[in-house]
Amino acid sequence: MRLGVITSGGDAPGMNAAIRAVVRCAIPSGLEVVGIERGYSGLISNQISPLDLRSVGKILHLGGTFLRSARCPEFKTIEGVQRGADVLRENQIDGLIVIGGDGSFKGAVKLGKHIDIPIIGIPATIDNDVAGTDTTIGFDTAVNTALNAIDKIRDTALSHERVFVVEVMGRDRGFLALEVGLTAGAGIILVPEIECSLKKIIEIIKGYEEKGKATTIIVAAEGIGNTSSVVKYIEKHTSFDVRLSKLGYIQRGGSPTARSRLLANLFGAKAVEIFLEGAKNKMIGLQDNNLVAVDLDYACNTWKPLNTNLYELAEKLAV
Ligand code: ADP
Ligand code: F6P
């Protein structure tokens, strides 16, 4: 039996560790493993080569994905998906492990309608926006990267008594901003899921000022839209000097944390285990510290709620 493994969508720290876990669990179980390069672009252009136990050596600690990743618009067309299914058949691939986010899983679900082989998803994205799992590979690393950056920003914010708006990634969701905001001790957290008007932002900053606080760190999810306009509004309506810091792509890179590696190992091993048991079209997830297998379709087509308790706690702790 030949198992294909692919990394797709935005890369996430821990993807390499997941590939390694898949290969090193599959081969001793008698499976052949092939790596598909450059996400679905590499699939439709047949960029496939064998992986052995040694070919995944020395990658556990590296961010990114040695198989490379891509966004592939062509895969959103029926022709693209059909071509992907044909290439899997030509290469006699009996099962596919897709390491990626909800977009990659949407593609995988469509692929599963054109070829009758098991497809197993491993959630890996810094956005943590995949339903059916409490967390995703790479999320913890991105939280820590952003947190370290904000700890540094706070030094200069305090020295200059400035307000800082720190924009973090997350696409259209606020998981990253919320966890970063809480752990960084942000004065205000702005996420797309929870309404916070510009007027309210000013009230909060002025309230802090009255209590003698001359620095406020605002952690804003990129998904709220134009963060520069938030900066301009605060400057106009308070006496503070305000700066914007977009953390950007540093959040996607770097060596995966122990937590991201642990998830990668557990998810990779479980994916191979359920493939061998005959599971089809499932995604591995972590729910309340238990490894689970949920329907891939559910995982990528269900809106995952934000933990509003964390938001309320952050509000309570910011005084
Ligand atoms: P992620 O997997 O990190 O969420 P994307 O949303 O960019 O990243 O999805 C990765 C790739 O998956 C896309 O470039 C595309 O090739 C494929 N994909 C995404 N959405 C769909 C869809 N609705 N149908 C088919 N393929 C999709
Ligand atoms: O999905 C991960 C992510 O980093 C999002 O947080 C961000 O919105 C997006 O990818 C950026 O995508 P690209 O790499 O295509 O610029």
Side-chain angles (χ1 to χ4, degrees), residues 8-10 40 70-72 75-76 100-104 106-107 110 171:
S8 165
Y40 293 129
R71 314 249 189 224
C72 174
F75 209 70
K76 292 188 175 171
D102 61 331
S104 301
K106 281 182 184 147
K110 286 189 186 163
R171 199 176 269 184

Side-chain angles (χ1 to χ4, degrees), residues 21-211:
V22 167
V23 171
R24 292 194 174 173
C25 289
I27 293 178
S29 303
L31 301 172
E32 268 180 55
V33 186
V34 293
I36 299 159
E37 289 172 23
R38 300 181 180 82
Y40 293 129
S41 304
L43 173 63
I44 59 185
S45 55
N46 203 3
Q47 297 178 39
I48 299 177
S49 42
L51 294 174
D52 61 26
L53 296 174
R54 283 267 57 83
S55 56
V56 290
K58 303 185 186 73
I59 61 167
L60 173 66
H61 61 297
L62 299 177
T65 160
F66 91 106
L67 284 178
R68 313 289 180 237
S69 193
R71 314 249 189 224
C72 174
E74 204 184 332
F75 209 70
K76 292 188 175 171
T77 65
I78 293 183
E79 295 74 23
V81 177
Q82 271 168 350
R83 169 81 190 128
D86 289 343
V87 171
L88 289 173
R89 271 188 285 269
E90 282 159 24
N91 286 275
Q92 295 171 331
I93 292 175
D94 305 295
L96 181 67
I97 298 207
V98 179
I99 304 171
D102 61 331
S104 301
F105 298 156
K106 281 182 184 147
V109 167
K110 286 189 186 163
L111 188 61
K113 298 197 165 108
H114 292 266
I115 183 168
D116 189 23
I117 60 166
I119 300 178
I120 314 286
I122 294 183
T125 162
I126 65 160
D127 301 338
N128 195 23
D129 56 351
V130 182
T133 186
D134 296 340
T135 187
T136 54
I137 295 169
F139 177 66
D140 180 68
T141 309
V143 169
N144 279 286
T145 301
L147 185 57
N148 289 335
I150 294 175
D151 285 346
K152 293 187 172 87
I153 288 170
R154 188 181 292 285
D155 291 344
T156 178
L158 283 165
S159 305
H160 287 264
E161 301 185 307
R162 281 173 170 159
V163 170
F164 261 85
V165 176
V166 183
E167 183 186 301
V168 301
M169 280 187 167
R171 199 176 269 184
D172 53 353
R173 300 302 311 272
F175 294 98
L176 191 55
L178 181 53
E179 215 157 288
V180 170
L182 174 64
T183 54
I188 300 174
I189 301 173
L190 302 176
V191 289
E193 295 86 348
I194 299 169
E195 164 76 22
C196 183
S197 65
L198 289 168
K199 207 168 147 242
K200 187 169 170 204
I201 294 172
I202 302 301
E203 272 168 25
I204 298 172
I205 294 172
K206 287 193 170 161
Y208 288 153
E209 194 180 7
E210 279 162 22
K211 290 184 219 155

